[in-house]
Amino acid sequence: EMEVGTRLELIEQQTRIMEESVIAAVPEIRSWITTAGGGSGGWGQGFNGEIRLSLSPLAERERSNLEVADDLR
């Protein structure tokens, strides 16, 4: 989490760093989408970054989605 008022360029940079770490740590990824930009709370709510993952089917992997999430924390 970054403080309110952090520049969008810094949010984008940090989100890309996180994206690279996640991709390296999760071989079960089938696809992903990464976004960085304005928050959904309206003007003045700051910026945010988000990484959404689609994993291979459970039958094709050893970890559950909860285990993947826990490992990323």
Side-chain angles (χ1 to χ4, degrees), residues 28 55-64:
E28 300 95 336
L55 302 177
S56 56
L58 184 56
E60 297 176 14
R61 54 188 158 98
E62 296 181 14
R63 299 188 291 176
S64 71

Side-chain angles (χ1 to χ4, degrees), residues 15-57:
T15 302
R16 288 183 206 285
I17 291 169
M18 292 299 298
E19 178 185 51
E20 291 172 6
S21 297
V22 168
I23 292 167
V26 184
E28 300 95 336
I29 292 176
R30 179 176 262 177
S31 63
W32 72 93
I33 186 167
T34 303
T35 59
S40 60
W43 181 257
Q45 295 299 311
F47 299 114
N48 61 45
E50 180 177 77
I51 303 168
R52 291 183 177 252
L53 307 176
S54 177
L55 302 177
S56 56

